[in-house]
Amino acid sequence: MPSLIGAVILPLSGLLLSLPAGADVKARSCGEVRQAYGAKGFSLADIPYQEIAGEHLRICPQEYTCCTTEMEDKLSQQSKLEFENLVEETSHFVRTTFVSRHKKFDEFFRELLENAEKSLNDMFVRTYGMLYMQNSEVFQDLFTELKRYYTGGNVNLEEMLNDFWARLLERMFQLINPQYHFSEDYLECVSKYTDQLKPFGDVPRKLKIQVTRAFIAARTFVQGLTVGREVANRVSKVSPTPGCIRALMKMLYCPYCRGLPAVRPCNNYCLNVMKGCLANQADLDTEWNLFIDAMLLVAERLEGPFNIESVMDPIDVKISEAIMNMQENSMQVSAKVFQGCGQPKPAPALRSARSAPENFNTRFRPYNPEERPTTAAGTSLDRLVTDIKEKLKLSKKVWSALPYTICKDESVTAGTSNEEECWNGHSKARYLPEIMNDGLTNQINNPEVDVDITRPDTFIRQQIMALRVMTNKLKNAYNGNDVNFQDTSDEASGSGSGSGCMDDVCPTEFEFVTTEAPAVDPDRREVDSSAAQLGHSLLSASLVCITLALQRLYR
């Protein structure tokens, strides 16, 4: 009998010795886990009341657990969703920066062009009356082409501006010589003398440099904001890999399965998980930073001497100044053109000065500068540029900083001050592995995420290429070169679009002579007298408008 009692006691004592020190023989309650699990919106039907054996778990430690297979699956999906939301929330600043600033700049530039066109039309109607209204399509076409260029149209700014001045010269030449009839061939000959005679003074050359530089910078900058917006929106929508999802589940919800729902991940543990999950995004950082630097360079152009607001605001005065230059020199220009292109044919019906087109004095009224709009879209370019430069600087290194930004969130990790009482992936204790460096290739030894460093994310690589192309375009714009037309005017060298000259007189097939104008047929003296009267009338108007222009330029 004693031997039987001893045989029973010995197995019981062996069983007690085999239990972990301090362990309760009775299974622990899953009450806290049930409460936390239900707070996530899940059904409590999935969760046991007490711990169960964990052999069924595929991600979390296979020890006594509060998680069923269904719970592990649901929490795994929950960790994926929370990660995607965390990346979107963390990149919210950079995304909204590009979305909102693109909208503001685009509205500003469009309204600026509309205001400039309206201002020119109002000024020219009041200054030149019917003469302008009868030829207004020349100016309307100028603004149409400027708007088309800004909105992405395939417009060569230099060629377009050259065409504008050639058309304006043809119209002006006919107006100051109403006694003659000019064929299309004759007017084409007239336009060939533009560079030599400089009938509009130096205004076309200066305006060409200003407009091309200003529009190239403005259009390219807005395109850069578009690319930044699209890249940021696309990259912030991550698709975690299966290896990443496993790591996220282990980090965020395996504490639930271990009965520790209130214990948050260790900060360094979180960093390794995030660096593994966002390895490809970190590789975007180098090209992104170069893109931001290029945007900041072009922003300098927007606030420099060639900023589009300072170019477009007084463009009406500048064009008017050019017209006045043409009128002042009308007799000399006409004489030299007649010398080179030949004597034109008389008009079919001769007109006296009284029946000539309305001259520039009619309905003239000085244009009040206060009537001119000084801002567009309720702001100014200086304010917009100052704001965007600050925001762009804050956007640098945003993608490599994502893991750090996410892991310093108190709702995600236990923080750096609580390194002993945090979840390390296995238990509540300090996390010991070293932190990985940024980027895909550095994740080869990541202890938390299984990362295939031989297969870069194709989608991210596409975004890198988009940034690279845009950066190159921005650098060209900073140097005053249009990416589509690399022959844009260079103020320093003074070279023109394919002409090889700008400041100096360019030789043509015609050579001007400095002799006096040929004698006029006696039968045409009356007509020439009328033309002279019109010329004097135009000159008197020009003096008033030049005074106005100077006041505008130096106010």
Side-chain angles (χ1 to χ4, degrees):
M1 191 67 182
S3 61
L4 179 61
I5 293 172
V8 173
I9 292 173
L10 285 173
L12 285 172
S13 63
L15 177 61
L16 289 171
L17 288 172
S18 68
L19 290 172
D24 296 328
V25 176
K26 185 178 179 181
R28 287 184 299 179
S29 169
C30 293
E32 287 185 28
V33 179
R34 287 176 64 84
Q35 184 177 358
Y37 187 72
K40 294 287 180 183
F42 295 119
S43 170
L44 295 180
D46 296 332
I47 184 169
Y49 285 93
Q50 294 180 322
E51 289 183 331
I52 57 175
E55 293 86 353
H56 57 280
L57 298 178
R58 296 187 297 275
I59 300 174
C60 296
Q62 292 183 335
E63 302 173 9
Y64 278 97
T65 181
C66 287
C67 284
T68 61
T69 300
E70 292 77 16
M71 285 178 66
E72 193 177 40
D73 289 342
K74 288 180 180 179
L75 289 173
S76 183
Q77 284 301 309
Q78 179 69 14
S79 65
K80 174 180 178 292
L81 291 173
E82 288 184 10
F83 169 70
E84 291 170 348
N85 290 336
L86 278 170
V87 175
E88 276 211 68
E89 289 171 9
T90 307
S91 60
H92 179 264
F93 168 77
V94 69
R95 287 185 293 111
T96 54
T97 290
F98 279 90
V99 169
S100 62
R101 271 52 183 189
H102 173 270
K103 184 174 183 292
K104 285 186 177 182
F105 271 92
D106 187 52
E107 285 179 354
F108 180 84
F109 289 144
R110 288 174 184 269
E111 191 169 319
L112 184 68
L113 291 176
E114 292 293 338
N115 288 349
E117 183 175 16
K118 182 179 183 299
S119 180
L120 183 142
N121 184 73
D122 291 346
M123 176 182 178
F124 279 32
V125 165
R126 292 169 180 172
T127 304
Y128 304 120
M130 286 301 298
L131 283 176
Y132 163 72
M133 296 170 70
Q134 290 166 356
N135 297 278
S136 61
E137 74 277 4
V138 175
F139 303 92
Q140 290 169 358
D141 291 346
L142 169 66
F143 282 96
T144 297
E145 289 299 286
L146 289 174
K147 292 173 188 175
R148 192 162 74 87
Y149 174 85
Y150 170 72
T151 55
N154 191 24
V155 177
N156 186 323
L157 286 173
E158 288 198 14
E159 290 180 1
M160 183 272 291
L161 290 167
N162 288 340
D163 183 60
F164 164 74
W165 291 112
R167 290 179 66 193
L168 186 58
L169 174 61
E170 291 177 7
R171 298 296 179 95
M172 289 283 299
F173 194 75
Q174 294 177 81
L175 287 172
I176 64 177
N177 293 287
Q179 70 275 31
Y180 296 115
H181 169 72
F182 300 101
S183 64
E184 291 296 324
D185 290 340
Y186 195 98
L187 291 174
E188 185 177 345
C189 177
V190 172
S191 66
K192 291 180 180 179
Y193 286 95
T194 305
D195 289 340
Q196 290 185 8
L197 287 175
K198 298 187 183 299
F200 298 111
D202 206 31
V203 173
R205 184 190 71 85
K206 290 181 178 178
L207 203 58
K208 183 192 292 185
I209 294 171
Q210 294 170 342
V211 168
T212 52
R213 287 287 183 91
F215 272 79
I216 289 170
R219 181 172 85 162
T220 309
F221 191 78
V222 171
Q223 288 176 347
L225 290 172
T226 302
V227 170
R229 179 190 67 189
E230 295 305 313
V231 169
N233 282 336
R234 290 167 182 165
V235 175
S236 64
K237 290 177 170 49
V238 294
S239 297
T241 63
C244 172
I245 295 172
R246 287 180 61 86
L248 290 168
M249 168 61 194
K250 187 178 177 183
M251 181 182 83
L252 294 173
Y253 287 111
C254 283
Y256 280 50
C257 297
R258 294 287 291 133
L260 303 169
V263 178
R264 294 189 180 127
C266 300
N267 185 74
N268 290 353
Y269 175 34
C270 173
L271 285 175
N272 274 343
V273 172
M274 292 302 160
K275 287 196 176 199
C277 288
L278 297 169
N280 284 282
Q281 280 75 7
D283 282 348
L284 186 76
D285 223 40
T286 299
E287 204 61 51
W288 176 265
N289 293 340
L290 292 173
F291 162 71
I292 295 296
D293 287 339
M295 286 288 288
L296 288 167
L297 283 176
V298 178
E300 290 180 13
R301 289 286 183 250
L302 294 182
E303 59 185 358
F306 297 115
N307 84 72
I308 193 170
E309 187 175 27
S310 67
V311 170
M312 293 308 296
D313 184 46
I315 195 170
D316 49 3
V317 173
K318 292 177 181 179
I319 293 175
S320 181
E321 178 188 346
I323 291 172
M324 295 307 147
N325 286 332
M326 171 70 178
Q327 292 171 200
E328 274 192 302
N329 301 301
S330 60
M331 296 182 74
Q332 298 94 316
V333 170
S334 297
K336 290 187 177 182
V337 170
F338 295 162
Q339 186 79 3
C341 295
Q343 192 70 20
K345 296 179 181 179
L350 302 180
R351 294 176 290 182
S352 66
R354 287 186 299 274
S355 61
E358 177 185 356
N359 66 52
F360 285 82
N361 274 321
T362 306
R363 296 169 58 199
F364 176 80
R365 173 178 77 83
Y367 196 82
N368 186 353
E370 293 180 359
E371 296 176 14
R372 177 188 297 278
T374 56
T375 61
T379 186
S380 70
L381 189 57
D382 286 344
R383 286 197 291 271
L384 287 176
V385 172
T386 299
D387 170 73
I388 192 64
K389 284 170 66 177
E390 178 186 341
K391 298 295 191 298
L392 288 173
K393 289 173 184 176
L394 293 174
S395 299
K396 291 191 71 173
K397 299 183 179 179
V398 65
W399 306 112
S400 61
L402 276 179
Y404 298 91
T405 309
I406 290 172
C407 293
K408 74 178 181 181
D409 189 332
E410 292 181 356
S411 66
V412 177
T413 68
T416 55
S417 61
N418 198 10
E419 295 182 0
E420 302 293 342
E421 301 292 318
C422 55
W423 173 253
N424 66 7
H426 303 280
S427 61
K428 185 170 72 170
R430 177 183 288 270
Y431 182 76
L432 298 177
E434 64 176 339
I435 302 172
M436 298 294 101
N437 289 325
D438 300 327
L440 185 64
T441 56
N442 288 316
Q443 306 312 309
I444 187 170
N445 294 317
N446 192 309
E448 309 305 336
V449 187
D450 182 16
V451 182
D452 186 353
I453 67 169
T454 65
R455 297 182 62 184
D457 189 302
T458 304
F459 180 74
I460 295 295
R461 265 50 197 176
Q462 290 173 349
Q463 308 314 308
I464 290 174
M465 285 305 301
L467 289 172
R468 191 168 295 162
V469 169
M470 192 65 237
T471 299
N472 183 61
K473 192 169 184 179
L474 287 162
K475 288 179 179 177
N476 273 302
Y478 176 74
N479 293 322
N481 299 320
D482 198 316
V483 72
N484 296 319
F485 302 103
Q486 293 297 326
D487 56 353
T488 302
S489 296
D490 186 340
E491 186 192 26
S493 65
S495 60
S497 177
S499 66
C501 54
M502 177 177 288
D503 294 320
D504 300 325
V505 175
C506 301
T508 68
E509 59 182 307
F510 298 101
E511 291 297 333
F512 287 123
V513 292
T514 57
T515 57
E516 295 181 359
V520 181
D521 189 313
D523 295 334
R524 300 213 44 80
R525 285 177 181 165
E526 182 182 347
V527 175
D528 288 346
S529 175
S530 298
Q533 292 177 34
L534 176 60
H536 289 304
S537 175
L538 299 180
L539 180 58
S540 64
S542 74
L543 294 175
V544 179
C545 286
I546 289 171
T547 302
L548 168 65
L550 291 173
Q551 290 174 344
R552 282 298 316 285
L553 291 173
Y554 294 103
R555 67 184 174 90

